[in-house]
Amino acid sequence: MLRTVVRRETHSPRTVAMLVVVVLLLLALAYAAVEIILHLVGAQPLLVGPGEALNALVAAPTALMPVAFIVAGVVLAILGLLVLILALKPGRLSRHEMEWGDRAVVVDNGVVASAVAQHLSNESGIARDDIVVGVAHRSVDVTVRPPVGIPVDEAQLRRIVDEEIAAYKLTPAVRTHLRVERPDTKESR
């Protein structure tokens, strides 16, 4: 039961994509129905009457070049493949599951990023404003910009970040990337 709740909270439903496809199909069917009704009552068609559309479809193999059919087929196949991938591939929300005994804990990536940055600031003595942390689905990127003249042990910073991330026990697991960016000491004229 908890697995289902966690999955629901960490994965995006495909409701919007499905709704767009259904609305487009309904609009196409509504247009066809309007054209048929206009034809039955003898009124002018909005774009093309059903008889003219059917005649154009029947005459298409001789009227169009085979290249046009190939291009149209490729375009339709690509659109179909995109809709199929969108329907089958799970969407991800910017959240991770944390191991917390027998409880299910889902934490937003922004919360993880803020906690890592604050912990690194507390442990290293570097100001919180000089630390930028970004958390993605499989990685944590930490950028440290220490002020000029402040010595920084990159291995120590990496150890602090790795230990903090390991303590969270995130699922799916993440890799950490740390970089230290030194400000340019040359004055611009």
Side-chain angles (χ1 to χ4, degrees):
M1 167 103 168
L2 286 179
R3 297 271 20 117
T4 305
V5 172
V6 169
R7 178 155 176 78
R8 189 176 301 137
E9 291 298 320
T10 58
H11 289 75
S12 172
R14 293 302 186 183
T15 308
V16 174
M18 187 245 351
L19 188 63
V20 168
V21 170
V22 168
V23 166
L24 289 176
L25 287 174
L26 286 175
L27 287 174
L29 289 173
Y31 167 74
V34 167
E35 288 291 4
I36 290 171
I37 290 170
L38 287 176
H39 178 71
L40 290 176
V41 297
Q44 289 285 59
L46 294 176
L47 294 177
V48 107
E52 295 171 25
L54 185 59
N55 289 338
L57 188 62
V58 169
T62 57
L64 297 174
M65 294 189 293
V67 173
F69 280 115
I70 293 171
V71 169
V74 167
V75 168
L76 285 176
I78 289 172
L79 285 175
L81 185 64
L82 287 174
V83 169
L84 184 66
I85 289 171
L86 189 60
L88 297 177
K89 187 176 177 195
R92 303 254 184 228
L93 295 174
S94 59
R95 298 178 184 154
H96 279 83
E97 176 186 1
M98 286 179 70
E99 187 177 314
W100 199 273
D102 60 344
R103 295 183 178 100
V105 177
V106 177
V107 62
D108 189 79
N109 288 354
V111 172
V112 174
S114 181
V116 168
Q118 188 62 50
H119 180 75
L120 185 58
S121 174
N122 292 345
E123 292 293 315
S124 67
I126 298 172
R128 170 65 180 88
D129 293 340
D130 295 330
I131 300 171
V132 177
V133 179
V135 178
H137 182 63
R138 296 268 184 196
S139 66
V140 175
D141 294 312
V142 180
T143 304
V144 179
R145 296 182 185 105
V148 177
I150 303 282
V152 174
D153 182 5
E154 191 170 333
Q156 176 73 7
L157 295 178
R158 187 173 313 278
R159 184 189 60 74
I160 293 169
V161 170
D162 287 341
E163 286 175 359
E164 185 69 6
I165 292 295
Y168 295 159
K169 299 177 185 171
L170 298 176
T171 303
V174 294
R175 292 182 320 269
T176 57
H177 305 283
L178 181 125
R179 78 179 150 271
V180 176
E181 291 182 355
R182 292 285 183 183
D184 190 14
T185 56
K186 296 178 185 177
E187 293 182 24
S188 56
R189 295 181 187 216

